[in-house]
């Protein structure tokens, strides 16, 4: 049985160019980047080159990049870091109901520390209304955190409008861009954000590395205190190995043209499903404001997890891969107001640079076989 990977939103393979760039740091350059002797030189300069590559992708200064262990840590650093730095100025945070658990759970934690959090609702396509944000901000608000693109349905939020509203009110704005890097533009000036999280393993770098953009002048309290690494914002000897991987991946992610082919494949996939199944398939997410690689489809009156179990060899997700294994409606689909009958049959297919037309055609055929078979 041919194996087909359609779960790029869960994780991507490491790009061969990324692996090549990392190899010398696996084998030869072991020095501590902070040391003052010859063994540090290569590691330190590679670390700073990598920082420059991440900064170039985001359109920011090198010193505005803090390396982290991934998207979850970057999100935790943004939320807790701002809260603990600014809690004498205010205690209110605004976010949305459809954030990844790496935002929702730190918010719940901060609520236990005395923060008040507003979770903005979304419409049927998974988008928030900027006017809801405008109404939610109070003089006690210190941070707004709204994800750039949703991991389950791919819906892209109106970040520019939301960030403008926050800026007008003097409130810091964070976006979780774990899913958008390398798929759509993520220039921090154009988006107008003060903080932005990225996750290496969603963008063809290894797991265990990510970064947080922190605009100059925005104060954050570190989560990890120690020696003054990363401009005093994240203690711990940096891994040149992982930073080099992320840097190379970010260099590759500046070219968004591979996404044209991915988008065409994704649209071909959806057209074929519609042709074969008509109104027995429903698209979840925004029809146009959506990541080019993401296709979240409900097979009406089916259970997504059961469908996947019968789709031998096809890697895809129900709900979100980060918390799969459940058959109840995902909180994202629930917030979108999708009925249980439709939402239970949701399957997320996420394509990537390695996806081929032949793979999509095989996936369509296997879906056809599964839906034709008795339940
Ligand atoms: C939107 C979003 N944010 C954050 C994360 C967490 O990133 P990491 O796995 O690097 O901790 C994920 C991972 O699924 C995600 O999709």
């Amino acid at each position: 049985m041919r194996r087909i990977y359609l779960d790029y939103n869960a994780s991507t393979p490491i790009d061969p160019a990324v692996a090549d760039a990392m190899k010398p740091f696996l084998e030869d350059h072991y020095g501590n980047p902070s040391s003052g002797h010859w063994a540090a030189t290569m590691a330190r300069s590679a670390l700073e080159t990598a920082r420059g590559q991440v900064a170039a992708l985001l359109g920011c200064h090198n010193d505005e990049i803090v390396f982290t262990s991934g998207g979850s840590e970057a999100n935790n650093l943004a939320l807790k870091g701002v809260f603990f730095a600014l809690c004498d100025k205010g205690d209110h945070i605004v976010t949305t109901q459809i954030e990844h658990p790496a935002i929702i759970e730190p918010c719940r934690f901060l609520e236990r520390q005395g923060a008040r959090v507003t979770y903005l609702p979304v419409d049927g396509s998974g988008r928030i209304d900027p006017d809801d944000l405008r109404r939610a901000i109070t003089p006690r608000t210190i941070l707004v955190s709204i994800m750039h693109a949703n991991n389950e349905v791919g819906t892209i939020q109106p970040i520019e409008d939301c960030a403008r509203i926050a800026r007008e009110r003097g409130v810091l704005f964070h976006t979780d861009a774990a899913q958008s890097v390398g798929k759509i533009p993520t220039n921090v000036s154009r988006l107008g954000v003060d903080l932005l999280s990225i996750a290496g393993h969603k963008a063809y770098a290894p797991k265990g590395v990510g970064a947080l953009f922190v605009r100059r002048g925005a104060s954050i309290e570190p989560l990890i205190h120690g020696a003054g690494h990363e401009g005093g914002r994240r203690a711990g000897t940096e891994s040149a190995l992982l930073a080099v991987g992320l840097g190379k991946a970010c260099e590759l992610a500046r070219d968004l043209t591979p996404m044209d082919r991915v988008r065409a494949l994704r649209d071909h996939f959806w057209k074929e499903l519609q042709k074969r199944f008509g109104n027995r398939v429903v698209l979840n997410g925004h029809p146009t404001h959506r990541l080019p690689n993401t296709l979240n489809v409900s097979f009406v009156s089916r259970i997504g997890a059961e469908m996947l179990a019968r789709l031998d060899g096809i890697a895809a997700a129900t709900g979100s891969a980060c918390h799969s294994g459940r058959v109840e409606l995902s909180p994202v689909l629930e917030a979108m107001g999708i009925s249980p009958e439709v939402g239970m049959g949701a399957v997320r297919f996420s394509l990537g640079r390695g996806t081929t037309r032949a793979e999509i055609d095989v996936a369509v055929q296997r879906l056809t076989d599964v839906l034709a078979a008795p339940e």
Side-chain angles (χ1 to χ4, degrees):
M1 186 65 77
R2 182 170 167 186
R3 290 163 135 197
I4 298 175
Y5 189 72
L6 294 174
D7 205 11
Y8 282 78
N9 284 10
S11 203
T12 56
I14 297 175
D15 190 285
V18 170
D20 281 349
M22 292 175 69
K23 233 170 158 216
F25 295 85
L26 204 54
E27 292 166 354
D28 301 321
H29 307 306
Y30 49 81
N32 183 327
S34 301
S35 298
H37 48 68
W38 59 267
T41 313
M42 198 60 193
R44 186 163 55 239
S45 91
L47 184 67
E48 292 318 313
T49 301
R51 200 184 303 283
Q53 288 166 314
V54 180
L57 172 71
L58 302 181
C60 65
H61 302 289
N62 293 10
D63 61 8
E64 293 176 315
I65 297 299
V66 180
F67 285 113
T68 68
S69 63
S72 297
E73 187 189 328
N75 284 344
N76 273 262
L77 181 57
L79 291 165
K80 297 176 192 170
V82 168
F83 180 78
F84 290 124
L86 299 183
C87 55
D88 54 335
K89 297 204 168 63
D91 57 359
H92 182 224
I93 295 170
V94 183
T95 186
T96 79
Q97 293 177 356
I98 59 154
E99 299 295 316
H100 189 272
I103 290 288
I104 298 285
E105 291 306 319
C107 283
R108 300 260 186 253
F109 166 78
L110 290 174
E111 285 177 301
R112 295 195 293 277
Q113 311 304 307
R116 289 181 312 109
V117 182
T118 301
Y119 300 88
L120 298 177
V122 293
D123 64 17
S125 73
R127 278 199 128 201
I128 68 147
D129 179 350
D131 282 333
D132 285 341
L133 171 62
R134 204 185 301 278
R135 282 187 287 269
I137 294 176
T138 76
R140 304 282 303 162
T141 309
I142 50 172
L143 179 67
V144 175
S145 179
I146 295 175
M147 74 195 321
H148 193 189
N150 183 265
N151 43 302
E152 286 185 43
V153 293
T155 297
I156 300 166
Q157 299 297 338
I159 294 299
E160 295 88 340
D161 294 342
C162 295
R164 198 175 310 115
I165 290 167
R167 197 176 334 117
E168 281 164 11
R169 304 286 289 275
V171 175
L172 289 175
F173 191 96
H174 167 253
T175 192
D176 175 358
Q179 288 294 345
S180 49
V181 160
K183 297 174 188 156
I184 54 174
T186 48
N187 180 290
V188 292
S189 303
R190 263 177 235 136
L191 292 172
V193 300
D194 302 298
L195 302 113
L196 180 145
S197 302
I198 72 175
H201 74 105
K202 312 282 187 187
Y204 306 89
K207 290 151 194 70
V209 66
L212 179 67
F213 155 73
V214 185
R215 190 175 291 287
R216 282 180 183 170
S219 45
I220 55 163
E221 181 68 28
L223 299 182
I224 304 171
H225 297 87
H229 306 93
E230 298 296 293
R233 293 164 296 190
R234 199 255 192 184
T237 301
E238 294 96 341
S239 166
L241 171 75
L242 291 172
V244 163
L246 184 66
K248 187 66 189 175
C250 286
E251 186 188 295
L252 300 174
R254 290 176 72 179
D255 178 11
L256 292 176
T257 50
M259 280 299 123
D260 294 342
R261 193 187 66 83
V262 169
R263 181 193 299 275
L265 282 178
R266 191 269 317 261
D267 292 346
H268 164 68
F269 194 178
W270 173 231
K271 275 199 198 99
E272 284 301 313
L273 293 181
Q274 278 180 301
K275 219 188 293 171
R276 288 169 194 239
F277 308 121
N279 58 10
R280 287 187 293 147
V281 284
V282 175
L283 179 75
N284 298 313
H286 198 283
T288 54
H289 294 296
R290 189 159 46 104
L291 290 174
N293 76 319
T294 305
L295 181 64
N296 189 311
V297 185
S298 276
F299 296 90
V300 178
S301 302
R302 296 290 185 127
I303 293 175
E306 281 178 18
M307 296 261 315
L308 275 185
R310 295 164 72 185
L311 277 173
D312 264 353
I314 296 186
T318 50
S320 165
C322 295
H323 38 269
S324 57
R326 302 190 311 210
V327 286
E328 77 261 28
L329 210 64
S330 85
V332 173
L333 298 177
E334 205 168 271
M336 288 164 63
I338 291 178
S339 72
E341 200 211 359
V342 172
M344 296 279 272
V347 178
R348 178 192 70 185
F349 300 100
S350 48
L351 290 59
R353 285 187 206 147
T355 309
T356 64
R357 166 85 182 224
E359 287 180 326
I360 297 300
D361 290 339
V362 170
V364 169
Q365 191 49 50
R366 289 211 196 137
L367 280 161
T368 309
D369 297 343
V370 165
L371 284 172
E375 279 177 67

